[in-house]
Amino acid sequence: MKPWHVEICDVTLRDGEQTPGVSFTPDEKKDIATRLDAIGVEVIEAGFPIVSVHEKEMVREISKLGLNAKICGLSRACREDVDAALDAEVDMIGLFIAPSDLHLKYKHKKPREVVVANAIEQLDYAVDHGLIVRFGAEDASRTEPDILVDIYRQAAEHKASYVTYADTTGCLTPLEVATVMKDLVPRTPIPIAIHAHNDLGCATANTLIAAELGAFQLHTTVNGLGERAGNARLEEVLVSLVLKGGITRYDLTEIPALSDCVQKYTGIYMPITKPVVGANAFAHESGIHIAAILENPSTYEFIPPEILGLERRFILGKHTGKRALSHILTIFGYHISDEQVMQVLELIKDRSEDKCSINQQVLREIISQVTGEDVINGNTIGENSGCEGRHIC
């Protein structure tokens, strides 16, 4: 398979910080940027420099970290915004306008030709001052494709390096994105960036279908942060690029720690069923599944947990089978007869019916009850037990 031709621009520090109630400290921003760089993210959108003196200084500090990633700042098509980005010493700016009829009427309140001409003037100014320019169309998903192509071609003529297709309101489905990309990519002379919002729950899917059909720069946020329902999720996009797009250059083992620290910094914690980084992403309870996994993990796992530096977990509950229980008991160092295994299994199922979590302590209690031996203070879950020091359930 020929690898997809893409790069990642992570916008956690800008769009992600626009999540209601979220604000990163300078140290948190630098930590996130450093972790993104360790993964191999090519572009980090560090902020919106014109927002405040503090924001501009923070973007400048990230620009000076010496990361491999290019540092980008967001910019309206205003001279003061571009100057603020220059002061922040970024490598790239995301210069944007909103060319849809709706935004022209209610936001810009000017004819499209005037808005575009002014934006091209700011593009020239940014290029003349040595910036890489990504020329963005906000609300592109509600703008006629022919209008976008005309704007994109003007941007290319004035030496923009990318153009952005932003589904600002998250109103598109994957099939709609596919239709758009099949039209725009062949007619646009420079690479297209896809910026997808998640209002319909389609941001990651929309980003991936755009990538498969020729979009180059993919915008993401850690844990899907962002305004309203958020943006395309970095962790899901990266895993998909590796498993579906044939890309091997990203270090996925850095993802779990990055996700954890962003959860801590924001106070926004992931559901246990969250793909890739949820607590149950690599957890199994069904006895049928576990029996097959013990033979070959790919029977019930598409994403190998090892690529993320993680281990699968076997959960004890009402769906557990004898083989799974025997395997877990062996991992924990318990050696009991087959008859006792069945007795332990029956008690596990009984307790699970009462919605009792079969965690480490409960398992010990059950084993003690069956064997008559005190194992309450005995074996513990080791670092390599397959449970990463967490409860079994």
Side-chain angles (χ1 to χ4, degrees):
M1 177 177 64
K2 184 177 180 181
W4 296 354
H5 182 53
V6 296
E7 69 177 14
I8 296 289
C9 174
D10 189 81
V11 299
T12 303
L13 300 181
R14 198 276 303 167
D15 216 335
E17 199 179 35
Q18 291 174 208
T19 305
V22 169
S23 179
F24 297 117
T25 68
D27 286 343
E28 289 169 352
K29 281 198 169 190
K30 287 188 278 190
D31 182 39
I32 292 169
T34 301
R35 291 176 184 273
L36 289 168
D37 193 59
I39 289 172
V41 168
E42 291 87 354
V43 181
I44 298 171
E45 192 164 286
F48 201 160
I50 196 63
V51 164
S52 69
V53 173
H54 171 79
E55 178 81 353
K56 182 169 68 175
E57 180 56 33
M58 192 63 260
V59 175
R60 183 187 291 117
E61 287 189 32
I62 293 172
S63 297
K64 291 183 175 181
L65 287 176
L67 304 178
N68 291 319
K70 294 182 178 67
I71 305 303
C72 179
L74 194 67
S75 172
R76 297 169 299 176
C78 304
R79 183 61 53 88
E80 59 267 30
D81 282 36
V82 178
D83 283 336
L86 288 166
D87 288 345
E89 302 180 30
V90 298
D91 304 299
M92 176 188 299
I93 61 168
L95 187 74
F96 71 92
I97 57 171
S100 68
D101 291 341
L102 187 65
H103 279 248
L104 288 167
K105 180 177 180 180
Y106 292 104
K107 187 173 73 173
H108 291 304
K109 299 181 179 179
K110 295 177 182 177
R112 182 178 291 111
E113 295 76 13
V114 173
V115 172
V116 172
N118 173 66
I120 294 298
E121 183 180 340
Q122 308 315 316
L123 165 58
D124 289 338
Y125 179 77
V127 170
D128 288 346
H129 284 77
L131 290 173
I132 301 167
V133 179
R134 186 185 68 222
F135 193 86
E138 187 184 21
D139 203 33
S141 47
R142 295 186 295 185
T143 305
E144 288 295 323
D146 287 346
I147 292 171
L148 290 174
V149 169
D150 178 62
I151 293 171
Y152 290 166
R153 286 176 175 170
Q154 290 185 61
E157 290 168 2
H158 288 262
K159 301 182 181 178
S161 296
Y162 312 78
V163 290
T164 302
Y165 183 92
D167 183 17
T168 304
T169 60
C171 65
L172 296 183
T173 65
L175 286 178
E176 290 173 316
V177 172
T179 299
V180 167
M181 288 298 141
K182 288 176 182 177
D183 178 28
L184 292 184
V185 170
R187 295 202 286 158
T188 302
I190 54 178
I192 293 178
I194 178 72
H195 183 95
H197 278 264
N198 201 42
D199 298 71
L200 289 177
C202 296
T204 296
N206 287 346
T207 298
L208 293 172
I209 193 66
E212 191 168 7
L213 293 173
F216 175 64
Q217 189 179 90
L218 316 180
H219 292 194
T220 64
T221 58
V222 178
N223 297 338
L225 293 176
E227 296 194 63
R228 304 182 313 280
N231 293 67
R233 299 175 181 272
L234 172 69
E235 54 280 3
E236 294 174 11
V237 170
L238 285 178
V239 169
S240 297
L241 291 181
V242 170
L243 297 180
K244 293 290 190 179
I247 295 173
T248 60
R249 64 181 180 268
Y250 298 114
D251 185 355
L252 303 188
T253 64
E254 298 284 343
I255 289 175
L258 171 61
S259 174
D260 286 346
C261 81
V262 170
Q263 290 178 67
K264 181 181 71 174
Y265 294 157
T266 61
I268 298 173
Y269 293 93
M270 297 296 99
I272 61 172
T273 53
K274 166 75 168 60
V276 182
V277 295
N280 283 359
F282 303 103
H284 306 270
E285 180 184 323
S286 167
I288 295 171
H289 289 201
I290 293 173
I293 286 170
L294 291 173
E295 294 292 330
N296 185 332
S298 66
T299 52
Y300 285 99
E301 285 179 346
F302 177 68
I303 304 172
E306 295 82 6
I307 69 173
L308 293 149
L310 299 175
E311 296 176 319
R312 69 188 52 82
R313 295 188 301 134
F314 296 140
I315 307 298
L316 296 178
K318 64 183 288 185
H319 302 103
T320 300
K322 179 184 175 183
R323 186 173 181 190
L325 176 58
S326 297
H327 178 76
I328 292 170
L329 292 174
T330 299
I331 288 175
F332 294 164
Y334 298 121
H335 302 286
I336 60 179
S337 69
D338 285 350
E339 181 181 353
Q340 289 172 325
V341 169
M342 293 307 297
Q343 290 174 328
V344 169
L345 183 59
E346 189 64 30
L347 290 171
I348 286 171
K349 290 178 181 290
D350 287 344
R351 293 216 188 182
S352 296
E353 291 289 354
D354 294 330
K355 299 187 178 181
C356 173
S357 295
I358 309 302
N359 57 27
Q360 178 180 337
Q361 184 65 23
V362 173
L363 177 61
R364 288 172 174 166
E365 291 173 0
I366 291 173
I367 294 172
S368 293
Q369 180 180 341
V370 169
T371 64
E373 299 176 5
D374 182 10
V375 297
I376 300 300
N377 297 311
N379 295 286
T380 58
I381 298 177
E383 289 182 357
N384 297 316
S385 69
C387 291
E388 300 185 292
R390 300 172 183 169
H391 285 168
I392 298 170
C393 179

